């Protein structure tokens, strides 16, 4: 049996999922969750956030704050507990009933719920149906339709609705237009015009526009590079409540990008970001404290906070903590529960952890069929390591592994 590889801490330097993928750095444990390299023959891996798909900050997410406001709008305040207790399926049923009774406001939120798979399955056709039945002069509806068509990569219609939303008073649509011009989606790429929209949004205190303007100043994209202005705009957005800008500031101070490195300030901004609900910041703080002497319990608590917000990587990490007794008592049943929950949310790492647990049979009853089932799930999501594991098992003439590879080839 090969020895477990030593812990390493590698992270693509990011400006969260809302910034453009420009730089790549090797960094230390401040941001990276405690993790072991997954050896071919040993299981046990804690997951970090996927930082490869990085974008500007946008306004596409339907927040709990918006849902609480929605209940007030439709005079259903008594159901606010559905939001606070995360009972989104019951909330969906409420809006569905109200929408079918002709309530235009409920039609709008029902369309948003379908678009974001909150309380129901994702269905863009139904989202479009309900949004278009709602008030088509409401800038929120027009913005939502712009977001819907952008997700369908129909950028011509996306620009049409964003423009209409902007003209009817949506400052958020201004930022979305800036992003489309930055990338050249549906229009000729024009970074200067993107800056124009971000500045226009900044004048209206749109936090996403301010965050994105700060990034452009940092990199000199469409405008002269100015690190001091970049920090100014990121701090401004952070003070207005952008958890992503605060996370970006943490990265600036960690990497020393145009400024002196300052780990204390990096942690300070990570904490502020986490306090505003940024699950990525929670996971990185969890990893940091898990590797800090006498702070493992704090690390566990940060993972728990992110898991309660539905982050699949944090849920996997709770399983890891329970399996190895990090910040909590060892409990293999709770470990498996959290791994399975994360696997249902398509955490590849959780699938691999379950695969190795059932393959080795040291902490639970050995079951090759279940092991292969989880490796196959991970492989179908594109995990090459799982494919290689299945190939090795197939060489041992294990029929389930052979069948699994055939199904992957056919999919």
């Amino acid at each position: 049996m090969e020895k477990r590889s030593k812990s390493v801490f590698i992270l693509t330097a990011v400006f969260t999922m809302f910034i453009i993928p420009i730089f790549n750095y090797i960094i230390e444990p401040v941001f990276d969750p405690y993790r072991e390299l997954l050896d071919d023959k040993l299981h046990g891996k804690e997951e970090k956030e996927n930082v490869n798909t990085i974008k500007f900050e946008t306004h596409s997410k339907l927040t709990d704050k918006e849902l609480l406001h929605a209940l007030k709008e439709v005079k259903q305040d008594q159901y606010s507990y559905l939001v606070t207790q995360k009972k989104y399926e019951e909330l969906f049923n409420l809006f569905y009933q109200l929408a079918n009774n002709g309530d235009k406001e409920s039609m709008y939120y029902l369309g948003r719920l379908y678009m974001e798979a909150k309380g129901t399955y994702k269905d863009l056709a139904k989202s479009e149906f309900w949004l278009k039945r709602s008030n088509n002069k409401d800038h929120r509806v027009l913005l939502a339709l712009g977001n819907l068509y952008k997700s369908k990569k129909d950028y011509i219609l996306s620009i049409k609705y964003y423009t209409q939303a902007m003209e009817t008073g949506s400052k958020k649509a201004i930022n979305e237009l800036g992003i489309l011009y930055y990338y050249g989606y549906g229009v000729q790429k024009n970074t200067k015009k993107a800056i124009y929209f971000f500045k226009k949004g900044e004048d209206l205190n749109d936090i996403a526009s301010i965050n994105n303007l700060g990034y452009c100043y940092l990199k000199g994209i469409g405008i002269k590079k100015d690190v001091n202005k970049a920090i100014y705009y990121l701090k401004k957005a952070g003070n207005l409540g952008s958890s992503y800008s605060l996370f970006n500031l943490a990265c600036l101070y960690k990497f020393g990008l145009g400024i002196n490195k300052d780990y204390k300030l990096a942690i300070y901004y990570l904490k502020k970001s986490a306090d505003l609900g940024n699950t990525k910041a929670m996971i990185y703080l969890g990893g940091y404290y898990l590797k800090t002497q006498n702070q493992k319990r704090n690390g566990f608590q940060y993972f728990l906070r992110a898991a309660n917000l539905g982050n699949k990587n944090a849920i996997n990490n709770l399983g890891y903590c329970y399996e190895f007794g990090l910040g909590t008592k060892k409990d293999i049943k709770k470990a498996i529960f959290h791994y399975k929950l994360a696997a249902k949310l398509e955490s590849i790492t959780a699938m691999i952890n379950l695969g190795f647990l059932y393959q080795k049979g040291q902490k639970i009853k050995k079951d090759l069929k279940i092991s292969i089932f989880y490796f196959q799930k991970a492989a179908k999501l594109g995990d090459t390591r799982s494919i290689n594991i299945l190939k090795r098992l197939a060489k041992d003439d294990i029929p389930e592994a052979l069948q699994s590879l055939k199904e992957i080839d056919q999919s």
Side-chain angles (χ1 to χ4, degrees):
M1 180 183 295
E2 298 180 18
K3 294 181 179 179
R4 186 187 294 273
S5 303
K6 294 182 179 179
S7 298
V8 297
F9 302 91
I10 299 176
L11 177 66
T12 303
V14 302
F15 285 116
T16 189
M17 52 190 269
F18 301 93
I19 303 288
I20 301 171
I22 300 293
F23 8 114
N24 294 288
Y25 293 92
I26 304 298
I27 70 169
E28 292 160 16
V30 172
F31 293 98
D32 201 8
Y34 174 82
R35 84 190 271 229
E36 299 276 309
L37 284 180
L38 186 60
D39 187 270
D40 286 347
K41 297 183 180 179
L42 292 175
H43 85 281
K45 181 181 179 184
E46 186 178 349
E47 190 163 26
K48 64 181 178 182
E49 290 282 72
N50 179 2
V51 296
N52 295 321
T53 306
I54 310 166
K55 302 176 182 177
F56 275 123
E57 184 167 356
T58 68
H59 293 291
S60 60
K61 296 295 181 183
L62 183 60
T63 65
D64 285 355
K65 185 177 179 180
E66 283 185 270
L67 289 171
L68 288 170
H69 175 73
L71 291 170
K72 289 183 180 180
E73 290 291 304
V74 297
K75 297 180 176 57
Q76 301 290 334
D77 289 32
Q78 70 270 30
Y79 293 106
S80 60
Y81 72 91
L82 295 177
V83 179
T84 56
Q85 295 179 17
K86 313 295 182 188
K87 295 182 177 181
Y88 296 121
E89 289 185 9
E90 293 179 43
L91 189 69
F92 169 83
N93 291 334
L94 173 64
F95 282 121
Y96 187 83
Q97 182 180 354
L98 293 170
N100 277 288
N101 287 333
D103 185 85
K104 297 288 186 181
E105 192 74 11
S106 296
M107 292 177 190
Y108 163 67
Y109 284 105
L110 187 61
R112 294 285 303 276
L113 291 170
Y114 270 121
M115 193 192 311
E116 299 176 35
K118 207 159 193 173
T120 185
Y121 54 91
K122 187 170 185 174
D123 191 322
L124 295 183
K126 288 184 178 179
S127 174
E128 182 179 18
F129 172 80
W130 286 109
L131 287 172
K132 286 190 172 180
R133 286 192 65 188
S134 184
N135 183 359
N136 60 9
K137 293 182 180 179
D138 186 330
H139 64 78
R140 298 172 307 155
V141 176
L142 295 168
L143 176 69
L145 284 166
N147 288 334
L148 182 144
Y149 288 116
K150 185 171 74 171
S151 68
K152 294 172 72 172
K153 297 184 179 180
D154 188 340
Y155 299 117
I156 302 300
L157 278 178
S158 181
I159 290 171
K160 171 188 171 182
Y161 282 106
Y162 283 148
T163 302
Q164 289 180 10
M166 177 181 67
E167 290 171 349
T168 52
S170 172
K171 62 183 181 181
K172 294 179 178 180
I174 297 170
N175 175 71
E176 303 308 314
L177 284 167
I179 292 173
L180 292 179
Y181 273 101
Y182 179 88
Y183 287 110
Y185 293 154
V187 291
Q188 186 174 352
K189 183 172 180 176
N190 188 331
T191 54
K192 289 186 177 180
K193 198 158 187 178
I195 293 293
Y196 163 79
F197 282 112
F198 294 148
K199 283 188 172 181
K200 189 172 181 178
E202 189 263 336
D203 289 339
L204 297 172
N205 275 344
D206 176 62
I207 59 174
S209 296
I210 299 168
N211 175 77
N212 297 341
L213 187 57
Y215 176 79
C216 290
Y217 269 112
L218 180 71
K219 294 302 294 177
I221 298 172
I223 202 166
K224 186 178 179 181
K225 182 176 180 178
D226 191 323
V227 175
N228 290 329
K229 282 189 178 180
I231 293 172
Y232 166 79
Y233 284 116
L234 291 175
K235 285 184 176 180
K236 180 178 179 179
N239 289 335
L240 289 171
S242 171
S243 68
Y244 304 104
S245 292
L246 294 167
F247 185 91
N248 296 341
L249 282 167
C251 290
L252 276 176
Y253 284 106
K254 171 64 188 77
F255 301 128
L257 301 174
I259 54 175
N260 293 328
K261 290 183 180 181
D262 191 322
Y263 281 24
K264 287 184 179 180
L265 272 178
I267 294 297
Y268 168 77
Y269 283 115
L270 273 180
K271 287 181 177 179
K272 289 193 72 173
S273 179
D275 289 343
L276 288 174
N278 190 304
T279 55
K280 193 183 295 290
M282 293 175 196
I283 288 178
Y284 294 153
L285 284 167
Y288 170 73
Y289 283 117
L290 217 60
K291 288 297 291 179
T292 303
Q293 192 172 6
N294 301 321
Q295 293 290 326
K296 287 183 174 58
R297 183 64 183 172
N298 281 342
F300 177 84
Q301 289 297 327
Y302 271 111
F303 290 148
L304 183 61
R305 283 175 61 185
N308 286 336
L309 291 172
N311 186 288
K312 64 183 180 182
N313 296 343
I315 296 169
N316 171 80
N317 292 356
L318 286 178
Y320 187 85
C321 289
Y322 279 119
E323 183 181 351
F324 296 101
L326 300 170
T328 187
K329 290 183 179 179
K330 280 187 179 182
D331 190 324
I332 192 61
K333 288 184 178 179
K334 287 184 178 179
I336 292 171
F337 170 81
H338 285 91
Y339 285 149
K340 285 184 176 180
L341 181 57
K344 284 182 180 179
L345 296 173
E346 296 194 342
S347 165
I348 289 175
T349 311
M351 295 172 192
I352 292 172
N353 286 340
L354 285 165
F356 278 118
L357 273 170
Y358 282 105
Q359 183 188 32
K360 291 184 67 62
Q362 292 179 345
K363 299 177 182 179
I364 56 175
K365 186 178 179 180
K366 185 174 181 177
D367 193 320
L368 271 181
K369 287 185 179 180
I370 296 177
S371 173
I372 289 169
F373 167 78
Y374 282 111
F375 286 135
Q376 181 181 357
K377 284 192 71 173
K380 283 184 175 181
L381 290 173
D383 183 68
T384 55
R385 191 183 196 98
S386 297
I387 293 172
N388 291 332
I389 291 168
L390 290 170
K391 286 180 178 178
R392 286 200 298 272
L393 292 172
K395 285 183 179 179
D396 293 333
D397 292 326
I398 296 174
E400 291 83 3
L402 291 165
Q403 180 61 32
S404 180
L405 288 171
K406 286 181 182 179
E407 290 177 13
I408 292 169
D409 289 338
Q410 292 169 0
S411 63

